[in-house]
Amino acid sequence: MAQRDMSVDPADRSDERHVDPNRTDEARLVGRTPVADAMSALLSRPDEIMLEIGATGELLVARLRAVIAALLLLLPLANALGGGTLRSTLVGLAGAVLINLFAQIWLPLARRSRRYRWLPFATSAFDVTATSAVLIVLAFNDVPAGLNSMVVWCGYLLAILLTALRGDGRTTLVAGALALAQYGALAAFALLTTAPEQLISSEHGIVTWSTQLQRLLLLGMGTLVTAVIVYRMQRLVEMSGTDGLTRLPNRTWLLHRIPRLLRAAREEGGSLTLALINLDHFKRVNDEAGHHVGDRVLRHVVSVLRDSAEPGEWLVRLGGEEFVLVMRKPIGTAWERVDALRRLVASRPFEVDRGADFIRVTFSAGLAGYPAEGLDLSALLGRADQRLQEAKREGRNRVIARDG
């Protein structure tokens, strides 16, 4: 069968998207139910864009918590002015001070929440447990006041709903499960150990199994709704950060991921190299074979690169026929790796149709290493692009890692 040497020029860079080459589409295998797919997504660690959104959400929750905690200091004063006992006023004041103390602890940590992966879980658990603690204090003096207090009980729903701002389905499920467990235990203990006459209050009504089960059901429903919201947010963010044609991450993902990779390389004394890859004469493929075939060629190249992906590598589509390969390697080792990929892609021509002609695809690449040749993404891409253009001037189908 004949082979046509069709490659691409770096001119077309319109659609800027990027993807992790280690990521597969196994979550969407045929036969997998939408519910199973949703649960898998909710139980998985969010991607970089969602984590960045979650970090700002955690800070927003921390600020809101600090404001609410400050307002809680007014409740003991209102209780005293309303004729409450000294004991109840002091208990309320102690609780408000304790909540304010923790609110001030969480606030500075939230400003660096990406560094503390446990923080969203700890703060969500704190919000739920603080609600339970207040209900326990109320129930200690008057069981109906604790178990029938709608205002305080809504703290559970608020704690669960606020997890949506963190963008991590795991925190939603943890907060919901903790709320169900704590309130369920409180209600069961009170109903099983309290005399029937003490479950009746003229001010707060009657405590029954039926009403408590209804509240537990509402907590479960609140958790489910919040989890669905988080899942929907994750899918929308995924679509915005993923190339629709190749399913690779796009520039948005790269912009969020690279700063963390550079910081990790700096702190650990490691190396990081960016390879800017451009398919040779790809415009000719679109012109002579059509854009539909061109799209299939792109997916073919991505498939070859994905199949040979190694740990610590990220493949990103910048747009058109241009890609970035991020590697945790020094530039010399990275050159050997990219040159091997170049030879691999060249050895795997694309078959347009069974029995039809092959299209031989090659690429050119320019490399740049951190920190010697750039301290941020813009500088590294600029240096890599200079070397990519040099590779094209020298005849294409080559990888350049040093200035000529």
Side-chain angles (χ1 to χ4, degrees):
M1 296 181 185
Q3 288 187 0
R4 289 181 287 172
D5 188 355
M6 294 183 178
S7 29
V8 183
D9 242 314
D12 186 8
R13 303 184 184 178
S14 56
D15 185 15
E16 299 186 345
R17 306 271 178 115
H18 75 286
V19 178
D20 188 339
N22 298 322
R23 181 178 177 180
T24 66
D25 292 328
E26 293 177 357
R28 290 169 176 76
L29 290 174
V30 176
R32 185 160 186 171
T33 65
V35 174
D37 182 56
M39 285 303 301
S40 176
L42 289 171
L43 293 173
S44 301
R45 184 173 182 264
D47 63 14
E48 285 301 314
I49 303 176
M50 204 70 211
L51 286 173
E52 193 67 30
I53 294 173
T56 58
E58 180 66 35
L59 181 57
L60 178 60
V61 171
R63 289 170 174 168
L64 180 61
R65 185 188 298 111
V67 172
I68 293 175
L71 292 176
L72 287 178
L73 291 171
L74 298 176
L75 294 181
L77 176 61
N79 181 72
L81 295 177
T85 64
L86 177 61
R87 183 174 183 275
S88 64
T89 300
L90 292 177
V91 169
L93 180 61
V97 170
L98 183 63
I99 291 175
N100 271 272
L101 177 62
F102 273 97
Q104 294 305 314
I105 292 175
W106 298 134
L107 187 57
L109 293 177
R111 294 191 175 96
R112 296 182 294 175
S113 60
R114 291 298 303 274
R115 180 173 296 183
Y116 309 110
R117 294 184 179 181
W118 49 266
L119 186 62
F121 300 96
T123 55
S124 297
F126 168 78
D127 293 338
V128 171
T129 305
T131 301
S132 297
V134 174
L135 290 177
I136 290 173
V137 171
L138 291 174
F140 184 78
N141 292 319
D142 182 14
V143 173
L147 295 184
N148 284 352
S149 173
M150 181 59 72
V151 174
V152 178
W153 178 85
C154 283
Y156 286 127
L157 289 179
L158 182 61
I160 294 170
L161 290 173
L162 286 177
T163 61
L165 295 175
R166 297 172 170 99
D168 189 340
R170 297 173 299 175
T171 60
T172 300
L173 297 177
V174 167
L178 196 59
L180 285 167
Q182 291 185 2
Y183 188 73
L186 172 61
F189 179 81
L191 286 166
L192 292 173
T193 61
T194 306
E197 61 273 13
Q198 293 180 322
L199 296 176
I200 303 173
S201 169
S202 58
E203 183 178 356
H204 299 100
I206 304 174
V207 179
T208 65
W209 283 101
S210 176
T211 57
Q212 300 311 307
L213 290 174
Q214 289 175 19
R215 290 195 176 197
L216 290 173
L217 181 60
L218 286 174
L219 288 179
M221 293 170 60
T223 302
L224 178 61
V225 170
T226 307
V228 171
I229 293 173
V230 172
Y231 174 70
R232 181 61 176 167
M233 289 171 57
Q234 289 177 340
R235 297 289 70 76
L236 291 174
V237 169
E238 179 184 352
M239 287 188 291
S240 70
T242 303
D243 179 54
L245 176 65
T246 62
R247 307 306 302 164
L248 287 177
N250 62 17
R251 184 185 290 267
T252 303
W253 180 94
L254 187 65
L255 290 172
H256 285 88
R257 180 62 170 166
I258 278 294
R260 290 179 57 78
L261 290 175
L262 295 179
R263 182 165 59 249
R266 180 174 63 252
E267 294 174 352
E268 298 169 7
S271 299
L272 195 74
T273 300
L274 268 65
L276 188 59
I277 297 172
N278 195 280
L279 303 188
D280 297 323
H281 304 297
F282 188 73
K283 187 174 184 296
R284 191 184 303 171
V285 176
N286 287 327
D287 292 343
E288 298 184 12
H291 287 277
H292 177 66
V293 173
D295 290 345
R296 293 173 60 197
V297 170
L298 284 173
R299 287 195 293 264
H300 164 74
V301 173
V302 168
S303 177
V304 173
L305 294 175
R306 260 189 176 143
D307 290 344
S308 60
E310 295 180 352
E313 293 183 351
W314 294 267
L315 182 63
V316 176
R317 186 186 181 197
L318 289 185
E321 71 283 1
E322 195 163 59
F323 302 86
V324 168
L325 181 61
V326 183
M327 297 162 285
R328 286 177 174 159
K329 296 179 174 69
I331 195 165
T333 306
W335 179 89
E336 295 177 354
R337 169 67 176 152
V338 177
D339 197 59
L341 291 174
R342 178 190 63 82
R343 294 193 301 271
L344 178 64
V345 169
S347 69
R348 303 272 186 89
F350 172 71
E351 185 178 10
V352 180
D353 291 301
R354 186 177 298 276
D357 291 347
F358 286 101
I359 296 179
R360 181 172 177 267
V361 186
T362 63
F363 71 72
S364 303
L367 275 61
Y370 172 87
E373 297 174 322
L375 298 177
D376 56 29
L377 177 61
S378 177
L380 291 170
L381 285 178
R383 180 61 66 88
D385 187 61
Q386 292 174 7
R387 291 169 177 167
L388 171 62
Q389 301 310 316
E390 182 180 350
K392 290 184 173 295
R393 288 193 298 269
E394 292 184 5
R396 293 182 167 83
N397 192 21
R398 66 193 65 221
V399 180
I400 293 183
R402 304 293 180 190
D403 294 330

